[in-house]
Amino acid sequence: MDFGTGSVSGRAAANQMEWTVNNAFKTYKAVACGVDMDHPKSMMDLALIQNVDPVDIGLGSSEKGTTVVPTKRKKTMTSVYLKFFETAPDGKSRRCKFCGQSYSIATATGNLGRHLSNRHPGYDKSGDSVTSSAPQPITVVRKAQQQGKQQMDYDHLNWLLVKWLILASLPPSTLEEKWLANSFKFLNPSIQLWPGERYKVKIREVFRSMQEDVMATLEKVSSKVSIILDFWSSYEQIFYMSVTCQWIDENWSFQQVLLDICQIPYPCGGSEIYHSLDKVLKMYNIESRVLSCTHDNSQNAIHACHTLKEELDGQKLGMFYYIPCAARTLNLIIEDGLRTTKPVISKVREFVLELNSSAKMSEDFIQLTAAYQEGCWKFPLETSARWSGNYQMLDIVCKAGKSMDGVMRKYEDTIAGRMALSPAEKNAVSIVHKYLEPFYKTTNNICTNKLLTIGLVLFFMDHISEMIILCRDSRHSSDWLKNAAEDMATKSRSYTTQVGNIFIFMTAILDPRIKCELIPESLSSGNYLEEARTLFIRNYSSRHFSSMTSGYGAQEIEDGGGVSFAEEIARKKRRVSLSNATDELTQYLSEPPAPIPTDVLEWWKVNCTRYPRLSVMARDFLAVQPTSVAPEDLFCSKGDEIYKQRFCMPHDSTQAILCIRSWMQGGIKLKCKSDEIDYERLMEMAGATIAENTAGLDKKQR
């Protein structure tokens, strides 16, 4: 339909019936069009819609693009709006001739004018005289004319769908589903969704634009950075690697950003991983600033990291170390501990699935737990096969065993026969539950810690090793449990061997909660401490301090009295005592460790003036992550959703969609080319229009 040309009266007569039929669709159309009186130059209109011509409609002028400032409103000028509305026979309402929208007869003519400008831009292009009482001009974007007809613009809707695809981690082909398209057509037959290929093109443009912002961010980083690698395979049997970078900024805030998701070519070995990783580091120009790499413990990843270290050492680009993932090691250790009870856990999980799916059964379970005082259980119960779900299965048997048996007796015809546990099985569950309780507490602490440092992880892993050895060597442990503990101890020793080096030692003691007092015995060698001093002197004794000429700022001096004479002398003496860089390390280690709940970065932010050189080293080393995957993604049900998204994503969408999603969650604005897409403003416009339409429909129904 064309609202910009031709006779107004002729166009109204021709389109009146059609708009009346489409009255039910007008709310959705308004959202899709996204025109707003208060914000005429919407960013989406002006910057993001291609192949469009902006048309400035000056309602007070017969010339295109001319704006006339409205003068004082006069009663004789109100008919310019009224002629586009017809009065109902009862004389109580007016109905728009274009769309059938009804308004009370008492509605101000200014509101009628806003309706026409907002819903039917171009309504006044009729050759008739238009007075200066018209509302302010707005800028409208229309698509290029096709066969003499101008089409309504639905790019706003399509950009909203782009964001939906990204946040939901869905491929663009999702919008090509016939029944989904039909659902949009049901709301408004004239809605035009982009073809799937165009969504792909737009998403790739967004990916490239946001990637440039990531590059610009990394250029400003003044400290060393560390990277972590994660790997997975999709349903297409394509092997992927994600590369994430982290650092601590000048304000002592931890920063993390996904650099890329790479396809590792066949045969997906260490050489292929190395070349893909090297390409990413060079693309972001950080190969000379990488301090460490945390990998997933696979032999191929270890081989790739070893090759990268040799390359960087050969170019003398500075220190580089690689470390195994503590979370994956701990998960493998726990799997050994669960080995004997896995069949029992499967039975309990089947019972819990029945509870979750039956409201009556769930209610019976809750009533029984209250009667037996077996705790409060929130439904749906977690049934994930990950560690948190497995432990809850053990929990139910040990803490709500009577209630579980009661439900099984009540529904014995349907579930009891295949799910009932024998006394021996219950006893085995009780033993394993008690044995693995410290593991569960450890994983909870790891998952909820604000900044998981290597020092804290080593502290936990050392405790886990002690628990395993006690179980293995205890004469009260069952043979089957001792055998499981032996396998657990083997994996624990392997991890300890891999992290037993000077780099891990230095990283651990820079955690003010750990220092030397809480570091594991395997790392407490006096030789490591001397090597740490050498490492500190060689790399941090003189860097970054050429401008440090006094212990207090110029502003303090100008204020007068800001620094007492005694304090000035004290600070000079401190500078003398710190002239030897090793004194900073000695003084730091001589003080008792901070309490475990201490915020590590906040501690260093407060104490960086006391240890100016050591704090620079701390910024570099404390950014090193002890895990290659977020612990909550590995141990908790949250990881199931991430796995499904990665596994189901087709190759042509994996890199762009998963990277954009991660960047958006990290606070980077979604952009296309050089223009930011203001989704908040777009949703505000949509919400306001829907509210207005809903109010209009309510009035009409009354």
Side-chain angles (χ1 to χ4, degrees):
M1 286 171 286
D2 185 358
F3 299 138
T5 59
S7 169
V8 173
S9 60
R11 183 174 66 257
N15 294 328
Q16 177 179 346
M17 182 173 293
E18 180 180 356
W19 279 99
T20 302
V21 172
N22 288 332
N23 185 42
F25 306 133
K26 60 183 173 292
T27 299
Y28 201 92
K29 173 179 282 187
V31 178
C33 294
V35 181
D36 188 347
M37 284 293 298
D38 296 330
H39 294 76
K41 293 187 177 181
S42 165
M43 173 281 305
M44 292 293 298
D45 288 335
L46 297 178
L48 297 177
I49 304 173
Q50 296 184 346
N51 301 320
V52 295
D53 296 318
V55 181
D56 291 332
I57 303 176
L59 300 183
S61 174
S62 60
E63 295 182 4
K64 177 179 177 180
T66 304
T67 302
V68 178
V69 179
T71 58
K72 185 177 180 181
R73 188 182 300 276
K74 299 179 181 180
K75 292 183 179 180
T76 58
M77 298 179 182
T78 58
S79 62
V80 68
Y81 304 131
L82 295 181
K83 67 181 180 179
F84 299 109
F85 292 81
E86 56 183 8
T87 304
D90 59 5
K92 295 182 179 180
S93 63
R94 292 190 179 95
R95 187 167 64 89
C96 176
K97 294 180 180 180
F98 295 124
C99 65
Q101 173 72 52
S102 292
Y103 290 91
S104 169
I105 197 70
T107 300
T109 54
N111 291 335
L112 301 181
R114 280 189 285 274
H115 168 87
L116 293 170
S117 297
N118 196 22
R119 306 293 175 76
H120 316 300
Y123 70 92
D124 62 311
K125 296 296 182 178
S126 61
D128 296 346
S129 175
V130 180
T131 66
S132 60
S133 64
Q136 291 292 330
I138 62 175
T139 301
V140 184
V141 178
R142 296 197 185 98
K143 290 186 177 180
Q145 293 188 8
Q146 297 177 354
Q147 298 179 355
K149 294 183 179 180
Q150 289 182 326
Q151 303 295 321
M152 296 299 292
D153 177 45
Y154 290 102
D155 279 1
H156 286 177
L157 171 62
N158 283 292
W159 276 106
L160 288 172
L161 291 175
V162 166
K163 185 171 183 179
W164 172 64
L165 290 174
I166 292 169
L167 292 181
S169 296
L170 295 172
S173 58
T174 303
L175 295 174
E176 295 178 336
E177 167 58 44
K178 177 182 177 181
W179 286 102
L180 180 62
N182 287 342
S183 298
F184 283 102
K185 293 295 183 182
F186 174 79
L187 292 170
N188 189 336
S190 62
I191 280 179
Q192 299 174 0
L193 298 184
W194 292 339
E197 197 58 38
R198 187 174 182 190
Y199 284 111
K200 292 179 185 178
V201 170
K202 291 298 181 183
I203 288 173
R204 293 301 302 180
E205 289 177 355
V206 170
F207 169 74
R208 287 190 289 268
S209 298
M210 297 181 72
Q211 190 179 50
E212 291 175 357
D213 285 351
V214 175
M215 291 179 177
T217 299
L218 287 173
E219 287 180 359
K220 301 175 183 178
V221 176
S222 60
S223 63
K224 291 279 189 178
V225 301
S226 294
I227 58 174
I228 57 179
L229 308 180
D230 194 19
F231 302 88
W232 71 92
S233 294
S234 71
Y235 73 97
E236 297 172 310
Q237 294 300 299
I238 295 177
F239 190 55
Y240 290 102
M241 173 182 70
S242 67
V243 184
T244 305
C245 178
Q246 60 271 324
W247 68 95
I248 297 173
D249 64 21
E250 292 84 351
N251 295 319
W252 289 94
S253 295
F254 183 79
Q255 304 292 338
Q256 187 176 66
V257 65
L258 176 65
L259 299 183
D260 207 351
I261 291 177
C262 317
Q263 176 190 351
I264 306 300
Y266 183 82
C268 311
S271 177
E272 289 75 26
I273 293 174
Y274 161 71
H275 288 296
S276 297
L277 175 58
D278 185 57
K279 182 179 179 180
V280 172
L281 298 181
K282 289 179 178 177
M283 178 175 64
Y284 284 94
N285 194 30
I286 59 173
E287 66 270 22
S288 62
R289 290 183 285 155
V290 174
L291 177 63
S292 74
C293 176
T294 307
H295 56 78
D296 72 337
N297 304 0
S298 67
Q299 288 301 314
N300 287 334
I302 293 174
H303 174 75
C305 290
H306 181 72
T307 304
L308 179 62
K309 178 173 176 58
E310 289 182 335
E311 180 69 20
L312 296 178
D313 288 346
Q315 299 179 26
K316 297 182 179 180
L317 294 177
M319 299 177 291
F320 176 77
Y321 301 88
Y322 52 94
I323 61 176
C325 175
R328 293 189 183 278
T329 301
L330 183 55
N331 193 52
L332 292 175
I333 291 173
I334 291 171
E335 285 295 308
D336 283 336
L338 290 172
R339 184 173 57 203
T340 303
T341 53
K342 273 297 183 68
V344 183
I345 290 174
S346 296
K347 278 187 180 182
V348 181
R349 179 173 286 110
E350 190 174 350
F351 168 74
V352 173
L353 288 171
E354 292 285 347
L355 284 181
N356 287 342
S357 62
S358 172
K360 184 66 175 71
M361 197 180 296
S362 300
E363 184 179 350
D364 290 339
F365 182 79
I366 291 173
Q367 290 177 353
L368 287 171
T369 54
Y372 289 126
Q373 297 183 345
E374 292 186 325
C376 180
W377 300 83
K378 183 178 179 181
F379 281 82
L381 298 172
E382 183 181 345
T383 58
S384 170
R386 296 177 184 271
W387 164 233
S388 58
N390 286 330
Y391 191 77
Q392 184 162 80
M393 300 305 102
L394 301 176
D395 247 3
I396 291 172
V397 177
C398 293
K399 298 179 181 178
K402 294 180 181 179
S403 302
M404 180 179 174
D405 290 341
V407 173
M408 285 187 176
R409 283 193 299 270
K410 184 172 182 178
Y411 297 91
E412 60 182 351
D413 294 338
T414 57
I415 65 174
R418 68 180 189 275
M419 298 180 190
L421 302 182
S422 67
E425 288 176 325
K426 291 181 180 179
N427 183 58
V429 167
S430 178
I431 292 172
V432 170
H433 181 271
K434 183 178 180 180
Y435 171 54
L436 293 181
E437 185 177 6
F439 294 76
Y440 185 70
K441 292 179 178 179
T442 297
T443 55
N444 276 348
N445 272 273
I446 289 176
C447 290
T448 57
N449 199 272
K450 182 179 179 180
L451 178 64
L452 192 62
T453 65
I454 286 181
L456 188 63
V457 166
L458 292 177
F459 171 74
F460 282 128
M461 293 294 284
D462 189 50
H463 175 66
I464 290 296
S465 297
E466 291 177 358
M467 295 298 101
I468 294 172
I469 293 172
L470 285 175
C471 176
R472 184 195 63 185
D473 298 341
S474 173
R475 59 187 179 87
H476 300 293
S477 298
S478 304
D479 290 340
W480 58 268
L481 188 57
K482 285 186 176 183
N483 292 334
E486 181 60 44
D487 293 336
M488 297 168 79
T490 299
K491 292 180 174 60
S492 178
R493 284 195 302 270
S494 175
Y495 175 79
T496 302
T497 300
Q498 292 184 65
V499 298
N501 55 63
I502 177 57
F503 174 76
I504 298 299
F505 174 83
M506 195 72 218
T507 306
I509 66 173
L510 286 173
D511 185 334
R513 302 168 298 181
I514 305 300
K515 296 190 176 180
C516 291
E517 283 81 350
L518 297 181
I519 205 166
E521 290 185 8
S522 59
L523 284 174
S524 59
S525 166
N527 189 44
Y528 275 152
L529 182 57
E530 291 307 314
E531 290 183 29
R533 294 182 187 278
T534 303
L535 180 67
F536 177 45
I537 294 172
R538 183 173 65 246
N539 294 285
Y540 293 91
S541 61
S542 59
R543 289 193 307 144
H544 311 293
F545 302 102
S546 58
S547 61
M548 203 172 111
T549 57
S550 67
Y552 47 89
Q555 185 63 42
E556 291 177 316
I557 300 175
E558 292 174 2
D559 290 342
V563 178
S564 67
F565 180 65
E567 178 64 19
E568 181 179 350
I569 297 174
R571 291 187 177 185
K572 287 181 178 179
K573 288 185 175 295
R574 291 192 190 105
R575 290 199 301 277
V576 170
S577 66
L578 293 177
S579 59
N580 185 344
T582 58
D583 285 350
E584 284 191 27
L585 181 59
T586 301
Q587 181 179 346
Y588 167 78
L589 293 176
S590 66
E591 297 175 356
I596 292 296
T598 299
D599 184 322
V600 174
L601 297 185
E602 184 63 27
W603 189 95
W604 274 106
K605 184 177 182 179
V606 171
N607 289 277
C608 62
T609 54
R610 296 177 60 208
Y611 309 111
R613 295 170 177 81
L614 197 61
S615 65
V616 175
M617 190 176 194
R619 271 186 63 198
D620 290 347
F621 279 63
L622 291 178
V624 179
Q625 286 295 281
T627 66
S628 64
V629 61
E632 60 270 23
D633 295 350
L634 185 64
F635 296 121
C636 305
S637 58
K638 177 184 175 183
D640 292 337
E641 185 61 31
I642 295 175
Y643 174 80
K644 286 188 291 186
Q645 291 172 351
R646 290 175 168 182
F647 183 79
C648 297
M649 185 69 66
H651 174 62
D652 59 2
S653 303
T654 295
Q655 181 192 43
I657 287 184
L658 295 185
C659 282
I660 295 172
R661 184 174 186 267
S662 176
W663 294 337
M664 289 178 64
Q665 291 172 341
I668 300 176
K669 297 296 184 180
L670 197 147
K671 296 173 61 177
C672 184
K673 297 183 178 178
S674 59
D675 302 301
E676 180 182 326
I677 305 174
D678 192 352
Y679 278 104
E680 291 184 4
R681 177 61 190 143
L682 192 59
M683 292 304 297
E684 288 175 4
M685 293 162 55
T689 306
I690 290 174
E692 182 180 349
N693 277 314
T694 302
L697 289 173
D698 291 343
K699 289 180 181 178
K700 183 177 180 181
Q701 291 173 356
R702 288 197 295 267

